[in-house]
Amino acid sequence: MKIQELAVKMGLSVHTIRFYEKEGLFDSRHVQREKNNYRNYSDEAVERLQMIKKFQGLGCSLAELKEIFQDHDTNTKTHQQIIDWIEQKKAEIEQKKAEYDQVLETLEWMIAYRKLLMTDPQKAETLFKARTSVSPH
Amino acid sequence: MKIQELAVKMGLSVHTIRFYEKEGLFDSRHVQREKNNYRNYSDEAVERLQMIKKFQGLGCSLAELKEIFQDHDTNTKTHQQIIDWIEQKKAEIEQKKAEYDQVLETLEWMIAYRKLLMTDPQKAETLFKARTSVSPH
DNA sequence: GCTTGCTTTAGAGTTCACTCTATAGTTTAT
DNA sequence: ATAAACTATAGAGTGAACTCTAAAGCAAGC
């Protein structure tokens, strides 16, 4: 698969894909060169890009991804170390989700306050005074 | 409250707080100047910084926050418009949470695979072949 | 009164993750 | 055979969000 095909398939620019390679996020399993020096991507490249997207969405930097990929690719780390890393990521996501739930509560509060402000400004004021530092009033 | 006190209280640098001011995220309710030109922050500044942190965690840019704060502070937008914005943010968070759940599944798979690899590499291979593009390599 | 530590400003520098440009070689379609 | 569309490289540029520096004034403790 040539670079543009991969780019279209993954919704990335060819620049970004070459950039990722420069950053060390691929190895020979993902890209090989043709006789004309064109890059030829395997299906594993698609999977790796999916992984990158997924973990980037969790706030992982490219540097962190490079490290974990390399450790994985070269067996620098033990299985247990990798499991520990994954468990840690899991905990981070659970944490993030809890934060989100909290923000959802804040937003609910904000909506309730706004709506009350339209119908009963006095009650809204009462609600506002009872808030626990949760809205931008 | 002087800038350093606020910085310590919020876990930010004084640079960052001044930077936020330059970016238009505060108004006179949050900062006033003393005769000596020192900034004096109110408790509302603390609340605003909490809001900034919260919404930044949702992926809001400072520019977007500035806009919503200004629209709020100057009553440029109607209550309904602000409610709509909040509802939209809520939907984005629900979406994010769903994505996180998906990633959690991926991580669970990865852990199961790793553990099996230690005890029963053959079974692991079977699991690997049955995967739906969810793990690295 | 002097030192240390705070405050001010303007502006330069950093990091991340792209994004684009210029130049040149290759492939494909007509 | 030529043009259009693709590929390659090195390196410059961008935007966001800080982060730091320099030079100066102000404040608090001894």
PDB file of all heavy atoms in Angstrom, chain B residues 101-130:
ATOM      1  N   ASP B 101     -14.637   3.922  27.175  1.00  0.00           N
ATOM      2  CA  ASP B 101     -15.089   2.565  27.458  1.00  0.00           C
ATOM      3  C   ASP B 101     -14.532   1.599  26.423  1.00  0.00           C
ATOM      4  O   ASP B 101     -14.116   0.490  26.736  1.00  0.00           O
ATOM      5  CB  ASP B 101     -16.620   2.516  27.465  1.00  0.00           C
ATOM      6  CG  ASP B 101     -17.185   3.041  28.790  1.00  0.00           C
ATOM      7  OD1 ASP B 101     -16.479   2.936  29.806  1.00  0.00           O
ATOM      8  OD2 ASP B 101     -18.316   3.549  28.790  1.00  0.00           O
ATOM      9  N   GLN B 102     -14.496   2.072  25.186  1.00  0.00           N
ATOM     10  CA  GLN B 102     -13.958   1.226  24.115  1.00  0.00           C
ATOM     11  C   GLN B 102     -12.476   0.957  24.339  1.00  0.00           C
ATOM     12  O   GLN B 102     -12.006  -0.168  24.174  1.00  0.00           O
ATOM     13  CB  GLN B 102     -14.166   1.959  22.801  1.00  0.00           C
ATOM     14  CG  GLN B 102     -14.755   1.089  21.705  1.00  0.00           C
ATOM     15  CD  GLN B 102     -14.268   1.573  20.364  1.00  0.00           C
ATOM     16  OE1 GLN B 102     -14.510   2.726  20.005  1.00  0.00           O
ATOM     17  NE2 GLN B 102     -13.581   0.721  19.632  1.00  0.00           N
ATOM     18  N   VAL B 103     -11.757   2.008  24.731  1.00  0.00           N
ATOM     19  CA  VAL B 103     -10.329   1.839  24.983  1.00  0.00           C
ATOM     20  C   VAL B 103     -10.106   0.895  26.162  1.00  0.00           C
ATOM     21  O   VAL B 103      -9.198   0.073  26.142  1.00  0.00           O
ATOM     22  CB  VAL B 103      -9.654   3.197  25.242  1.00  0.00           C
ATOM     23  CG1 VAL B 103      -8.204   2.991  25.633  1.00  0.00           C
ATOM     24  CG2 VAL B 103      -9.745   4.067  24.001  1.00  0.00           C
ATOM     25  N   LEU B 104     -10.956   1.010  27.159  1.00  0.00           N
ATOM     26  CA  LEU B 104     -10.829   0.110  28.307  1.00  0.00           C
ATOM     27  C   LEU B 104     -10.942  -1.340  27.851  1.00  0.00           C
ATOM     28  O   LEU B 104     -10.186  -2.200  28.294  1.00  0.00           O
ATOM     29  CB  LEU B 104     -11.903   0.419  29.360  1.00  0.00           C
ATOM     30  CG  LEU B 104     -11.612   1.634  30.245  1.00  0.00           C
ATOM     31  CD1 LEU B 104     -12.780   1.907  31.186  1.00  0.00           C
ATOM     32  CD2 LEU B 104     -10.336   1.429  31.057  1.00  0.00           C
ATOM     33  N   GLU B 105     -11.863  -1.583  26.924  1.00  0.00           N
ATOM     34  CA  GLU B 105     -11.998  -2.938  26.387  1.00  0.00           C
ATOM     35  C   GLU B 105     -10.708  -3.385  25.711  1.00  0.00           C
ATOM     36  O   GLU B 105     -10.250  -4.509  25.894  1.00  0.00           O
ATOM     37  CB  GLU B 105     -13.142  -2.976  25.369  1.00  0.00           C
ATOM     38  CG  GLU B 105     -14.469  -3.414  25.955  1.00  0.00           C
ATOM     39  CD  GLU B 105     -15.549  -3.428  24.894  1.00  0.00           C
ATOM     40  OE1 GLU B 105     -15.374  -4.103  23.861  1.00  0.00           O
ATOM     41  OE2 GLU B 105     -16.577  -2.720  25.085  1.00  0.00           O
ATOM     42  N   THR B 106     -10.149  -2.469  24.924  1.00  0.00           N
ATOM     43  CA  THR B 106      -8.885  -2.768  24.257  1.00  0.00           C
ATOM     44  C   THR B 106      -7.813  -3.135  25.269  1.00  0.00           C
ATOM     45  O   THR B 106      -7.088  -4.119  25.114  1.00  0.00           O
ATOM     46  CB  THR B 106      -8.411  -1.551  23.444  1.00  0.00           C
ATOM     47  OG1 THR B 106      -9.413  -1.209  22.495  1.00  0.00           O
ATOM     48  CG2 THR B 106      -7.110  -1.867  22.722  1.00  0.00           C
ATOM     49  N   LEU B 107      -7.729  -2.347  26.318  1.00  0.00           N
ATOM     50  CA  LEU B 107      -6.697  -2.590  27.324  1.00  0.00           C
ATOM     51  C   LEU B 107      -6.941  -3.923  28.029  1.00  0.00           C
ATOM     52  O   LEU B 107      -5.987  -4.670  28.293  1.00  0.00           O
ATOM     53  CB  LEU B 107      -6.672  -1.445  28.342  1.00  0.00           C
ATOM     54  CG  LEU B 107      -6.272  -0.083  27.772  1.00  0.00           C
ATOM     55  CD1 LEU B 107      -6.224   0.972  28.873  1.00  0.00           C
ATOM     56  CD2 LEU B 107      -4.913  -0.148  27.075  1.00  0.00           C
ATOM     57  N   GLU B 108      -8.204  -4.231  28.287  1.00  0.00           N
ATOM     58  CA  GLU B 108      -8.529  -5.519  28.894  1.00  0.00           C
ATOM     59  C   GLU B 108      -8.042  -6.658  28.006  1.00  0.00           C
ATOM     60  O   GLU B 108      -7.451  -7.623  28.477  1.00  0.00           O
ATOM     61  CB  GLU B 108     -10.051  -5.657  29.093  1.00  0.00           C
ATOM     62  CG  GLU B 108     -10.631  -4.795  30.205  1.00  0.00           C
ATOM     63  CD  GLU B 108     -10.090  -5.202  31.574  1.00  0.00           C
ATOM     64  OE1 GLU B 108      -9.359  -6.180  31.672  1.00  0.00           O
ATOM     65  OE2 GLU B 108     -10.414  -4.476  32.547  1.00  0.00           O
ATOM     66  N   TRP B 109      -8.292  -6.494  26.720  1.00  0.00           N
ATOM     67  CA  TRP B 109      -7.868  -7.507  25.766  1.00  0.00           C
ATOM     68  C   TRP B 109      -6.346  -7.673  25.821  1.00  0.00           C
ATOM     69  O   TRP B 109      -5.817  -8.791  25.861  1.00  0.00           O
ATOM     70  CB  TRP B 109      -8.313  -7.112  24.357  1.00  0.00           C
ATOM     71  CG  TRP B 109      -8.024  -8.178  23.344  1.00  0.00           C
ATOM     72  CD1 TRP B 109      -8.871  -9.157  22.927  1.00  0.00           C
ATOM     73  CD2 TRP B 109      -6.782  -8.407  22.662  1.00  0.00           C
ATOM     74  NE1 TRP B 109      -8.249  -9.979  22.037  1.00  0.00           N
ATOM     75  CE2 TRP B 109      -6.966  -9.552  21.842  1.00  0.00           C
ATOM     76  CE3 TRP B 109      -5.545  -7.771  22.657  1.00  0.00           C
ATOM     77  CZ2 TRP B 109      -5.955 -10.053  21.031  1.00  0.00           C
ATOM     78  CZ3 TRP B 109      -4.530  -8.280  21.857  1.00  0.00           C
ATOM     79  CH2 TRP B 109      -4.748  -9.404  21.050  1.00  0.00           C
ATOM     80  N   MET B 110      -5.675  -6.515  25.842  1.00  0.00           N
ATOM     81  CA  MET B 110      -4.212  -6.551  25.833  1.00  0.00           C
ATOM     82  C   MET B 110      -3.668  -7.265  27.063  1.00  0.00           C
ATOM     83  O   MET B 110      -2.702  -8.025  26.986  1.00  0.00           O
ATOM     84  CB  MET B 110      -3.668  -5.123  25.756  1.00  0.00           C
ATOM     85  CG  MET B 110      -3.827  -4.518  24.371  1.00  0.00           C
ATOM     86  SD  MET B 110      -3.521  -2.730  24.359  1.00  0.00           S
ATOM     87  CE  MET B 110      -1.760  -2.680  24.624  1.00  0.00           C
ATOM     88  N   ILE B 111      -4.294  -7.017  28.196  1.00  0.00           N
ATOM     89  CA  ILE B 111      -3.839  -7.658  29.430  1.00  0.00           C
ATOM     90  C   ILE B 111      -4.077  -9.168  29.363  1.00  0.00           C
ATOM     91  O   ILE B 111      -3.180  -9.969  29.678  1.00  0.00           O
ATOM     92  CB  ILE B 111      -4.559  -7.044  30.655  1.00  0.00           C
ATOM     93  CG1 ILE B 111      -4.035  -5.628  30.897  1.00  0.00           C
ATOM     94  CG2 ILE B 111      -4.345  -7.906  31.898  1.00  0.00           C
ATOM     95  CD1 ILE B 111      -4.823  -4.832  31.903  1.00  0.00           C
ATOM     96  N   ALA B 112      -5.267  -9.539  28.901  1.00  0.00           N
ATOM     97  CA  ALA B 112      -5.588 -10.967  28.790  1.00  0.00           C
ATOM     98  C   ALA B 112      -4.572 -11.649  27.869  1.00  0.00           C
ATOM     99  O   ALA B 112      -4.051 -12.727  28.186  1.00  0.00           O
ATOM    100  CB  ALA B 112      -7.006 -11.127  28.245  1.00  0.00           C
ATOM    101  N   TYR B 113      -4.259 -10.985  26.771  1.00  0.00           N
ATOM    102  CA  TYR B 113      -3.323 -11.548  25.801  1.00  0.00           C
ATOM    103  C   TYR B 113      -1.934 -11.724  26.412  1.00  0.00           C
ATOM    104  O   TYR B 113      -1.303 -12.782  26.291  1.00  0.00           O
ATOM    105  CB  TYR B 113      -3.265 -10.631  24.574  1.00  0.00           C
ATOM    106  CG  TYR B 113      -2.233 -11.033  23.561  1.00  0.00           C
ATOM    107  CD1 TYR B 113      -2.367 -12.205  22.820  1.00  0.00           C
ATOM    108  CD2 TYR B 113      -1.115 -10.237  23.353  1.00  0.00           C
ATOM    109  CE1 TYR B 113      -1.408 -12.578  21.894  1.00  0.00           C
ATOM    110  CE2 TYR B 113      -0.150 -10.597  22.424  1.00  0.00           C
ATOM    111  CZ  TYR B 113      -0.295 -11.769  21.701  1.00  0.00           C
ATOM    112  OH  TYR B 113       0.647 -12.132  20.790  1.00  0.00           O
ATOM    113  N   ARG B 114      -1.492 -10.685  27.088  1.00  0.00           N
ATOM    114  CA  ARG B 114      -0.168 -10.712  27.727  1.00  0.00           C
ATOM    115  C   ARG B 114      -0.073 -11.850  28.744  1.00  0.00           C
ATOM    116  O   ARG B 114       0.941 -12.550  28.816  1.00  0.00           O
ATOM    117  CB  ARG B 114       0.080  -9.394  28.467  1.00  0.00           C
ATOM    118  CG  ARG B 114       0.347  -8.224  27.576  1.00  0.00           C
ATOM    119  CD  ARG B 114       1.814  -8.134  27.256  1.00  0.00           C
ATOM    120  NE  ARG B 114       1.967  -7.565  25.925  1.00  0.00           N
ATOM    121  CZ  ARG B 114       3.070  -7.667  25.201  1.00  0.00           C
ATOM    122  NH1 ARG B 114       4.116  -8.322  25.668  1.00  0.00           N
ATOM    123  NH2 ARG B 114       3.126  -7.142  24.008  1.00  0.00           N
ATOM    124  N   LYS B 115      -1.111 -11.983  29.535  1.00  0.00           N
ATOM    125  CA  LYS B 115      -1.084 -12.996  30.603  1.00  0.00           C
ATOM    126  C   LYS B 115      -1.059 -14.397  30.009  1.00  0.00           C
ATOM    127  O   LYS B 115      -0.326 -15.266  30.461  1.00  0.00           O
ATOM    128  CB  LYS B 115      -2.294 -12.821  31.528  1.00  0.00           C
ATOM    129  CG  LYS B 115      -2.104 -11.626  32.467  1.00  0.00           C
ATOM    130  CD  LYS B 115      -3.174 -11.557  33.549  1.00  0.00           C
ATOM    131  CE  LYS B 115      -2.858 -10.448  34.549  1.00  0.00           C
ATOM    132  NZ  LYS B 115      -4.037 -10.022  35.312  1.00  0.00           N
ATOM    133  N   LEU B 116      -1.859 -14.557  28.950  1.00  0.00           N
ATOM    134  CA  LEU B 116      -1.914 -15.849  28.287  1.00  0.00           C
ATOM    135  C   LEU B 116      -0.562 -16.176  27.650  1.00  0.00           C
ATOM    136  O   LEU B 116      -0.113 -17.323  27.642  1.00  0.00           O
ATOM    137  CB  LEU B 116      -3.018 -15.811  27.210  1.00  0.00           C
ATOM    138  CG  LEU B 116      -3.761 -17.115  26.953  1.00  0.00           C
ATOM    139  CD1 LEU B 116      -4.291 -17.684  28.263  1.00  0.00           C
ATOM    140  CD2 LEU B 116      -4.903 -16.904  25.976  1.00  0.00           C
ATOM    141  N   LEU B 117       0.083 -15.144  27.157  1.00  0.00           N
ATOM    142  CA  LEU B 117       1.385 -15.310  26.499  1.00  0.00           C
ATOM    143  C   LEU B 117       2.407 -15.875  27.480  1.00  0.00           C
ATOM    144  O   LEU B 117       3.326 -16.607  27.102  1.00  0.00           O
ATOM    145  CB  LEU B 117       1.843 -13.939  25.981  1.00  0.00           C
ATOM    146  CG  LEU B 117       2.643 -13.898  24.686  1.00  0.00           C
ATOM    147  CD1 LEU B 117       1.961 -14.678  23.582  1.00  0.00           C
ATOM    148  CD2 LEU B 117       2.864 -12.467  24.257  1.00  0.00           C
ATOM    149  N   MET B 118       2.215 -15.556  28.763  1.00  0.00           N
ATOM    150  CA  MET B 118       3.148 -16.042  29.768  1.00  0.00           C
ATOM    151  C   MET B 118       2.875 -17.489  30.149  1.00  0.00           C
ATOM    152  O   MET B 118       3.795 -18.234  30.450  1.00  0.00           O
ATOM    153  CB  MET B 118       3.073 -15.161  31.025  1.00  0.00           C
ATOM    154  CG  MET B 118       3.646 -13.780  30.791  1.00  0.00           C
ATOM    155  SD  MET B 118       3.942 -12.862  32.336  1.00  0.00           S
ATOM    156  CE  MET B 118       2.291 -12.519  32.868  1.00  0.00           C
ATOM    157  N   THR B 119       1.595 -17.839  30.126  1.00  0.00           N
ATOM    158  CA  THR B 119       1.246 -19.175  30.603  1.00  0.00           C
ATOM    159  C   THR B 119       0.978 -20.177  29.492  1.00  0.00           C
ATOM    160  O   THR B 119       1.293 -21.352  29.617  1.00  0.00           O
ATOM    161  CB  THR B 119      -0.014 -19.117  31.503  1.00  0.00           C
ATOM    162  OG1 THR B 119      -1.093 -18.561  30.730  1.00  0.00           O
ATOM    163  CG2 THR B 119       0.229 -18.222  32.709  1.00  0.00           C
ATOM    164  N   ASP B 120       0.370 -19.687  28.401  1.00  0.00           N
ATOM    165  CA  ASP B 120      -0.028 -20.607  27.339  1.00  0.00           C
ATOM    166  C   ASP B 120       0.082 -19.920  25.970  1.00  0.00           C
ATOM    167  O   ASP B 120      -0.919 -19.507  25.386  1.00  0.00           O
ATOM    168  CB  ASP B 120      -1.467 -21.074  27.597  1.00  0.00           C
ATOM    169  CG  ASP B 120      -1.873 -22.209  26.655  1.00  0.00           C
ATOM    170  OD1 ASP B 120      -1.184 -22.412  25.623  1.00  0.00           O
ATOM    171  OD2 ASP B 120      -2.876 -22.877  26.940  1.00  0.00           O
ATOM    172  N   PRO B 121       1.316 -19.799  25.466  1.00  0.00           N
ATOM    173  CA  PRO B 121       1.582 -19.060  24.227  1.00  0.00           C
ATOM    174  C   PRO B 121       0.728 -19.530  23.057  1.00  0.00           C
ATOM    175  O   PRO B 121       0.378 -18.736  22.178  1.00  0.00           O
ATOM    176  CB  PRO B 121       3.064 -19.338  23.964  1.00  0.00           C
ATOM    177  CG  PRO B 121       3.627 -19.656  25.301  1.00  0.00           C
ATOM    178  CD  PRO B 121       2.537 -20.379  26.035  1.00  0.00           C
ATOM    179  N   GLN B 122       0.378 -20.799  23.059  1.00  0.00           N
ATOM    180  CA  GLN B 122      -0.399 -21.346  21.941  1.00  0.00           C
ATOM    181  C   GLN B 122      -1.809 -20.759  21.925  1.00  0.00           C
ATOM    182  O   GLN B 122      -2.292 -20.270  20.915  1.00  0.00           O
ATOM    183  CB  GLN B 122      -0.499 -22.873  22.105  1.00  0.00           C
ATOM    184  CG  GLN B 122      -0.194 -23.619  20.820  1.00  0.00           C
ATOM    185  CD  GLN B 122       0.023 -25.099  21.161  1.00  0.00           C
ATOM    186  OE1 GLN B 122       0.755 -25.417  22.108  1.00  0.00           O
ATOM    187  NE2 GLN B 122      -0.610 -25.983  20.407  1.00  0.00           N
ATOM    188  N   LYS B 123      -2.426 -20.772  23.115  1.00  0.00           N
ATOM    189  CA  LYS B 123      -3.759 -20.194  23.261  1.00  0.00           C
ATOM    190  C   LYS B 123      -3.720 -18.698  22.940  1.00  0.00           C
ATOM    191  O   LYS B 123      -4.657 -18.150  22.377  1.00  0.00           O
ATOM    192  CB  LYS B 123      -4.257 -20.398  24.699  1.00  0.00           C
ATOM    193  CG  LYS B 123      -5.307 -21.477  24.841  1.00  0.00           C
ATOM    194  CD  LYS B 123      -5.947 -21.397  26.233  1.00  0.00           C
ATOM    195  CE  LYS B 123      -6.912 -22.549  26.464  1.00  0.00           C
ATOM    196  NZ  LYS B 123      -7.228 -22.706  27.913  1.00  0.00           N
ATOM    197  N   ALA B 124      -2.643 -18.071  23.350  1.00  0.00           N
ATOM    198  CA  ALA B 124      -2.486 -16.636  23.096  1.00  0.00           C
ATOM    199  C   ALA B 124      -2.536 -16.359  21.607  1.00  0.00           C
ATOM    200  O   ALA B 124      -3.175 -15.404  21.143  1.00  0.00           O
ATOM    201  CB  ALA B 124      -1.163 -16.131  23.681  1.00  0.00           C
ATOM    202  N   GLU B 125      -1.863 -17.230  20.875  1.00  0.00           N
ATOM    203  CA  GLU B 125      -1.839 -17.075  19.407  1.00  0.00           C
ATOM    204  C   GLU B 125      -3.254 -17.161  18.844  1.00  0.00           C
ATOM    205  O   GLU B 125      -3.634 -16.387  17.960  1.00  0.00           O
ATOM    206  CB  GLU B 125      -0.939 -18.163  18.801  1.00  0.00           C
ATOM    207  CG  GLU B 125      -0.555 -17.919  17.357  1.00  0.00           C
ATOM    208  CD  GLU B 125       0.039 -16.533  17.134  1.00  0.00           C
ATOM    209  OE1 GLU B 125       0.660 -15.968  18.066  1.00  0.00           O
ATOM    210  OE2 GLU B 125      -0.136 -15.995  16.027  1.00  0.00           O
ATOM    211  N   THR B 126      -4.022 -18.085  19.373  1.00  0.00           N
ATOM    212  CA  THR B 126      -5.413 -18.239  18.941  1.00  0.00           C
ATOM    213  C   THR B 126      -6.195 -16.953  19.229  1.00  0.00           C
ATOM    214  O   THR B 126      -6.910 -16.429  18.374  1.00  0.00           O
ATOM    215  CB  THR B 126      -6.094 -19.405  19.708  1.00  0.00           C
ATOM    216  OG1 THR B 126      -5.207 -20.515  19.691  1.00  0.00           O
ATOM    217  CG2 THR B 126      -7.416 -19.756  19.065  1.00  0.00           C
ATOM    218  N   LEU B 127      -6.032 -16.462  20.451  1.00  0.00           N
ATOM    219  CA  LEU B 127      -6.700 -15.216  20.851  1.00  0.00           C
ATOM    220  C   LEU B 127      -6.285 -14.082  19.925  1.00  0.00           C
ATOM    221  O   LEU B 127      -7.108 -13.288  19.472  1.00  0.00           O
ATOM    222  CB  LEU B 127      -6.317 -14.871  22.299  1.00  0.00           C
ATOM    223  CG  LEU B 127      -6.935 -13.605  22.883  1.00  0.00           C
ATOM    224  CD1 LEU B 127      -8.446 -13.709  22.934  1.00  0.00           C
ATOM    225  CD2 LEU B 127      -6.389 -13.316  24.286  1.00  0.00           C
ATOM    226  N   PHE B 128      -4.980 -14.064  19.622  1.00  0.00           N
ATOM    227  CA  PHE B 128      -4.454 -12.995  18.774  1.00  0.00           C
ATOM    228  C   PHE B 128      -5.113 -13.014  17.402  1.00  0.00           C
ATOM    229  O   PHE B 128      -5.490 -11.972  16.869  1.00  0.00           O
ATOM    230  CB  PHE B 128      -2.934 -13.148  18.626  1.00  0.00           C
ATOM    231  CG  PHE B 128      -2.329 -12.090  17.762  1.00  0.00           C
ATOM    232  CD1 PHE B 128      -2.209 -10.786  18.233  1.00  0.00           C
ATOM    233  CD2 PHE B 128      -1.900 -12.382  16.471  1.00  0.00           C
ATOM    234  CE1 PHE B 128      -1.665  -9.795  17.431  1.00  0.00           C
ATOM    235  CE2 PHE B 128      -1.361 -11.392  15.673  1.00  0.00           C
ATOM    236  CZ  PHE B 128      -1.240 -10.112  16.147  1.00  0.00           C
ATOM    237  N   LYS B 129      -5.268 -14.217  16.859  1.00  0.00           N
ATOM    238  CA  LYS B 129      -5.849 -14.342  15.523  1.00  0.00           C
ATOM    239  C   LYS B 129      -7.323 -13.955  15.522  1.00  0.00           C
ATOM    240  O   LYS B 129      -7.861 -13.521  14.500  1.00  0.00           O
ATOM    241  CB  LYS B 129      -5.679 -15.771  14.996  1.00  0.00           C
ATOM    242  CG  LYS B 129      -4.299 -15.989  14.362  1.00  0.00           C
ATOM    243  CD  LYS B 129      -4.118 -17.388  13.834  1.00  0.00           C
ATOM    244  CE  LYS B 129      -2.680 -17.598  13.355  1.00  0.00           C
ATOM    245  NZ  LYS B 129      -2.158 -18.921  13.764  1.00  0.00           N
ATOM    246  N   ALA B 130      -7.978 -14.097  16.681  1.00  0.00           N
ATOM    247  CA  ALA B 130      -9.404 -13.798  16.780  1.00  0.00           C
ATOM    248  C   ALA B 130      -9.678 -12.320  17.086  1.00  0.00           C
ATOM    249  O   ALA B 130     -10.808 -11.871  17.068  1.00  0.00           O
ATOM    250  CB  ALA B 130     -10.035 -14.658  17.879  1.00  0.00           C
TER     251      ALA B 130
END
